[in-house]
Amino acid sequence: MTQPASSSPDASAFVAINKLTKKFGQKVAVNEVDLMLAKGETMAIIGPSAAGKSVLMKCLVGIYGADKGTIHLNGDDVTNSNAPTRPDWAEKIGMLFQQNALFDSLSVWENICFRQIELGTLNRKDARDRAIELLGLVGLAPESADLKPSDLSGGMQKRVGIARAISSDPEILLLDNPTAGLDPVLSNHIELMIAKIAEKRGTTVISITNDMHIARTRYQNLTMMYDGKVYWSGKTSEIDDAHNAHLTQMLDGSSQGPITMRTGKREDGVYA
Ligand SMILES: Nc1ncnc2c1ncn2[C@@H]1O[C@H](COP(=O)(O)OP(=O)(O)OP(=O)(O)O)[C@@H](O)[C@H]1O
């Protein structure tokens, strides 16, 4: 059922991360992470604060280069942001940042098609039309297009961030806490929307969440990070109640230590 943290990922997987390490000075934020994901599959990444989840995402999107290890996307080595293959992937990866990263001085539609306007792939009229189409996809009215992000609620801002992330019709969608700060009803609504968009487009999705229930019900795969490492990675359908309880305890900090899901025991062997 599990991918042991020590196994080597299959390099032919659509997303193949092999022994990835990212340090900031002495701090090892991401420590020998192995992960793989097939095309069109979804993965939730969970873990307590400072586990390395966001840094891993930023390595994937090319913001940070790696100190060690590799990232392959569909066979292309994209480990370092200045790798020759990287520009080919810029348009194929959509990312929602934790704080949405919307520009307050720009309108909603300019935020959504920011990249296309910058690159000149769409003129301003077509970009506005495209943004309105995307607003519809994320459940926002066309009238929102000319508002500024500060005119929107937190939930609406998240939707705009998601609309921007999917604006280039990416092959991979990276979402850093798409429902952080939202109430449970809205969180569920947004996660359902993401699942539907991904299914319709065949998009591969990796999403950080703090919500174990959402991770188990909306994603096909789940990875728990702890102290920069992958402690468990596998199919959500195979998580039984005991494992769920322990992953949840690790997430909220009440567990006494990481567990290995292969055995269902904590690393110190206490849990059975
Ligand atoms: N630019 C940076 N410079 C120095 N240290 C950093 C930097 N970015 C992240 N870190 C450190 O790396 C570790 C992992 O950070 P990361 O943001 O990936 O955690 P996280 O799992 O996403 O946590 P959270 O759920 O709280 O967002 C933390 O100790 C953090 O302080």
Side-chain angles (χ1 to χ4, degrees):
M1 137 177 189
T2 58
Q3 173 204 341
S6 59
S7 73
S8 280
D10 178 356
S12 66
F14 189 62
V15 178
I17 301 175
N18 200 341
K19 300 270 176 281
L20 190 77
T21 298
K22 174 67 190 166
K23 297 179 192 169
F24 297 101
Q26 295 302 304
K27 172 77 198 172
V28 186
V30 170
N31 195 351
E32 304 232 332
V33 162
D34 285 340
L35 272 184
M36 58 184 157
L37 190 60
K39 188 169 173 57
E41 288 211 0
T42 60
M43 176 184 280
I45 298 186
I46 62 169
S49 193
K53 306 179 297 291
S54 294
V55 172
L56 177 65
M57 283 282 201
K58 287 175 182 169
C59 289
L60 266 168
V61 81
I63 292 172
Y64 295 140
D67 291 301
K68 240 173 63 186
T70 56
I71 303 172
H72 285 84
L73 298 178
N74 203 21
D76 291 342
D77 185 347
V78 298
T79 312
N80 291 302
S81 41
N82 58 358
T85 50
R86 192 85 218 187
D88 293 333
W89 278 92
E91 290 300 291
K92 298 182 202 166
I93 303 176
M95 171 120 190
L96 172 73
F97 292 92
Q98 196 164 9
Q99 309 299 335
N100 304 323
L102 300 175
F103 301 112
D104 269 336
S105 58
L106 300 180
S107 64
V108 163
W109 76 263
E110 287 168 323
N111 266 286
I112 292 175
C113 284
F114 178 78
R115 195 163 171 81
Q116 289 79 0
I117 296 168
E118 282 282 295
L119 293 174
T121 52
L122 289 178
N123 64 37
R124 288 183 66 79
K125 182 187 175 310
D126 289 347
R128 190 170 182 282
D129 289 348
R130 169 86 176 132
I132 287 172
E133 184 191 326
L134 289 162
L135 280 171
L137 258 178
V138 297
L140 290 177
E143 295 75 48
S144 319
D146 296 310
L147 299 177
K148 291 278 166 54
S150 55
D151 298 327
L152 306 177
S153 69
M156 291 166 90
Q157 289 182 14
K158 282 282 176 211
R159 287 168 195 247
V160 171
I162 293 166
R164 179 169 66 186
I166 61 173
S167 66
S168 61
D169 211 0
E171 290 188 35
I172 302 177
L173 193 51
L174 303 177
L175 305 166
D176 194 343
N177 270 302
T179 57
L182 305 181
D183 66 57
V185 174
L186 190 53
S187 295
N188 208 32
H189 193 80
I190 287 196
E191 290 288 353
L192 185 60
M193 181 193 80
I194 292 165
K196 280 185 177 165
I197 290 172
E199 195 181 344
K200 197 170 158 198
R201 297 171 172 227
T203 315
T204 306
V205 181
I206 302 178
S207 180
I208 296 173
T209 178
N210 294 318
D211 188 318
M212 190 62 188
H213 177 70
I214 281 179
R216 284 185 73 191
T217 54
R218 296 275 176 238
Y219 293 85
Q220 295 159 316
N221 301 278
L222 184 143
T223 291
M224 165 154 271
M225 288 189 69
Y226 193 94
D227 197 19
K229 296 181 184 158
V230 169
Y231 271 97
W232 187 79
S233 191
K235 297 276 174 206
T236 47
S237 58
E238 293 173 1
I239 298 173
D240 64 21
D241 288 347
H243 294 149
N244 180 56
H246 278 267
L247 287 174
T248 304
Q249 284 171 0
M250 277 181 71
L251 197 54
D252 66 23
S254 58
S255 168
Q256 292 169 26
I259 53 172
T260 54
M261 297 297 286
R262 182 173 285 280
T263 60
K265 289 182 181 172
R266 274 206 323 255
E267 282 199 326
D268 59 11
V270 172
Y271 169 71

